[in-house]
Amino acid sequence: MPHTARIRAQGRAFAHIAAYHPELTALRRDLHAHPEIGFEEHYTAKRVIESLKVCGVDEIHTGIGKTGVVAVIHGRQRTSGHLIGLRADMDALPMTEHNDFAWKSTKQGMMHGCGHDGHTAMLVGAARYLAETRRFDGTAVLIFQPGEEGFAGAKAMIEDGLFERFPVQSVYGMHNWPQMRPGTVGVNPGPMMAAADRITIEITGKGGHGAHPYLTVDPVLVSAHIITAVQSIVSRNVRAVDSAVISLCAMQAGDLGAFSVVPGSATLVGTVRTFSPEIQALVERRLNEVCSGVAMGLGATAHVKYERIYPATINSPEEGRFAAQVAQSLVGEEHVDTEMDPSMGAEDFSFMLQVKPGAYLRLGQGGEGSCFLHNSRYDFNDEVLPLGAALHAGLIEQGMPLPTEEH
């Protein structure tokens, strides 16, 4: 039984791409074995370029946003004058893999723990199909992006002239989702991922001897009060119908070997996740007020550094609905979730959606009990490669139909 038999999908694109499923799997596993972190995707970009040349795309552009690659494929006609962009991220994570299969990472401390190897292979699959068939009226722009994992590679490509050189009318991206079953797709006409901000709270007190704390201003105690007080910001300042998360994830104070020394300072580091600029601004303001007020009340000072890393990923309504229709044409309406809950995770595809209309989709690849993203035992499910590639291709073919195929 072919490996794709467990995925139910319809349409000529899926059937066509399923024929070279083995080649896509081999590419995906090769990329998995050779992970590279942001802006160091030299081997990955080389493999992508080699594959695109074999696919027969019309143009290949390299070095955009450092290690980014863009392929251009012209349709059978170009009377529409339209360009649609498809984006896949290429980078891996700085983490150690604990799998034992043949294609596990060959690099210590690097791993494709988020499935970007699969995303890249799916877009290569779409490139091959689109170049072979060219059943569209316009131009497909395939964007292989570096540095999604914390490096803002999408922003780097945009600042390097991505959309000036390739003026697409809309852009689409997708991410595998282990909590959804293979053969399912999730997309909605609004928020998909939250904004990700970094907070650093520097607390300054007065150090001294642990046996004489009355002579100190203990920043560890102040930190404890701030950690507790900060949790009131969401529960008592943000409406229940809105969404926000504040997590203080790390603390550094003193020396573990100096059990009787009260340190003079402490640092807290964490993240804030929101969907709207108004809530984002509210949380930032209240963080400054609460931290300063708590510290002052205990005789210390606190300085909050608030860094806005990734904006929220919010689909434009028309493109979100269109992407859902394309997915439904492949897997059926019952297998497309158009009202899925947004994730409080973040995604730098948001930078592209700030510049161009578009949509971000989730592709089911796991289901109940599956290993989630950023786990040392995660692996991309090769079974969904043809479906993901067909979904990319469908966005092009249905977004820029040939005049004789509009209906």
Side-chain angles (χ1 to χ4, degrees):
M1 179 180 293
H3 191 48
T4 54
R6 286 176 285 175
I7 296 285
R8 289 190 173 185
Q10 54 197 6
R12 60 193 174 198
F14 178 78
H16 188 118
I17 294 169
Y20 39 84
H21 187 198
E23 291 95 325
L24 295 180
T25 299
L27 172 62
R28 201 287 297 180
R29 293 182 179 181
D30 180 59
L31 296 178
H32 189 96
H34 300 89
E36 296 169 307
I37 60 173
F39 301 130
E40 296 181 8
E41 304 94 341
H42 302 291
Y43 178 84
T44 306
K46 177 184 175 183
R47 292 288 284 116
V48 167
I49 293 166
E50 291 171 350
S51 299
L52 292 172
K53 288 180 179 177
V54 172
C55 292
V57 304
D58 297 300
E59 302 171 25
I60 300 175
H61 303 264
T62 63
I64 303 173
K66 298 185 180 179
T67 47
V69 177
V70 174
V72 175
I73 304 171
H74 300 305
R76 195 174 299 171
Q77 296 184 27
R78 282 189 276 171
T79 57
S80 71
H82 288 168
L83 294 85
I84 291 180
L86 304 174
R87 171 270 202 174
D89 36 19
M90 300 189 295
D91 59 324
L93 286 158
M95 60 186 291
T96 299
E97 183 164 7
H98 291 138
N99 289 312
D100 56 5
F101 40 64
W103 56 92
K104 68 180 180 181
S105 173
T106 59
K107 295 185 178 181
Q108 183 65 30
M110 293 187 196
M111 174 193 176
H112 269 295
C114 204
H116 297 184
D117 48 348
H119 301 167
T120 300
M122 289 190 302
L123 194 53
V124 168
R128 178 173 172 178
Y129 168 79
L130 292 169
E132 288 177 353
T133 60
R134 299 181 185 266
R135 293 192 185 100
F136 58 97
D137 178 7
T139 300
V141 178
L142 280 55
I143 304 164
F144 295 86
Q145 180 209 303
E148 190 280 326
E149 297 287 358
F151 293 88
K155 184 178 181 182
M157 292 190 81
I158 293 168
E159 291 176 345
D160 205 13
L162 174 66
F163 292 133
E164 285 77 24
R165 296 173 63 178
F166 312 99
V168 300
Q169 280 75 46
S170 56
V171 63
Y172 298 88
M174 72 177 74
H175 203 294
N176 76 94
W177 207 248
Q179 291 179 312
M180 295 170 57
R181 291 180 295 103
T184 62
V185 177
V187 61
N188 63 47
M192 288 291 291
M193 304 284 277
D197 301 332
R198 175 188 173 96
I199 51 175
T200 304
I201 305 170
E202 299 281 356
I203 300 160
T204 303
K206 179 182 177 183
H209 201 297
H212 304 280
Y214 57 92
L215 298 176
T216 73
V217 177
D218 186 356
V220 176
L221 177 65
V222 176
S223 297
H225 281 274
I226 285 178
I227 291 169
T228 301
V230 158
Q231 300 310 311
S232 70
I233 294 175
V234 172
S235 65
R236 291 298 178 268
N237 293 267
V238 178
R239 297 188 314 160
V241 294
D242 294 322
S243 298
V245 169
I246 304 175
S247 291
L248 295 175
C249 302
M251 174 180 174
Q252 185 175 46
D255 187 331
L256 291 177
F259 73 97
S260 63
V261 177
V262 175
S265 63
T267 303
L268 301 172
V269 175
T271 187
V272 173
R273 305 297 171 110
T274 56
F275 288 106
S276 76
E278 294 76 18
I279 300 300
Q280 187 181 41
L282 168 66
V283 170
E284 180 178 4
R285 175 175 60 82
R286 290 297 292 141
L287 270 169
N288 278 283
E289 293 170 350
V290 169
C291 293
S292 295
V294 169
M296 183 180 299
L298 295 170
T301 60
H303 172 73
V304 178
K305 182 181 180 181
Y306 195 102
E307 301 171 89
R308 301 191 178 197
I309 307 299
Y310 286 177
T313 303
I314 301 177
N315 291 344
S316 45
E318 182 177 346
E319 284 69 24
R321 287 188 288 268
F322 167 69
Q325 292 168 3
V326 172
Q328 289 166 353
S329 72
L330 278 169
V331 297
E333 186 175 348
E334 68 276 18
H335 298 301
V336 179
D337 185 353
T338 58
E339 297 180 352
M340 67 185 316
D341 293 332
S343 168
M344 298 310 288
E347 161 66 65
D348 82 340
F349 185 66
S350 55
F351 288 110
M352 294 191 181
L353 291 181
Q354 286 191 326
V355 180
K356 296 288 183 177
Y360 182 77
L361 304 88
R362 292 185 195 156
L363 180 67
Q365 76 127 11
E368 187 176 353
S370 296
C371 186
F372 197 56
L373 307 170
H374 292 217
N375 187 297
S376 64
R377 295 197 178 277
Y378 167 88
D379 189 33
F380 186 89
N381 182 359
D382 293 318
E383 185 180 325
V384 305
L385 287 170
L387 177 57
L391 184 51
H392 275 307
L395 292 165
I396 296 297
E397 289 186 332
Q398 296 183 43
M400 299 181 292
L402 289 167
T404 57
E405 299 182 5
E406 287 182 351
H407 302 292

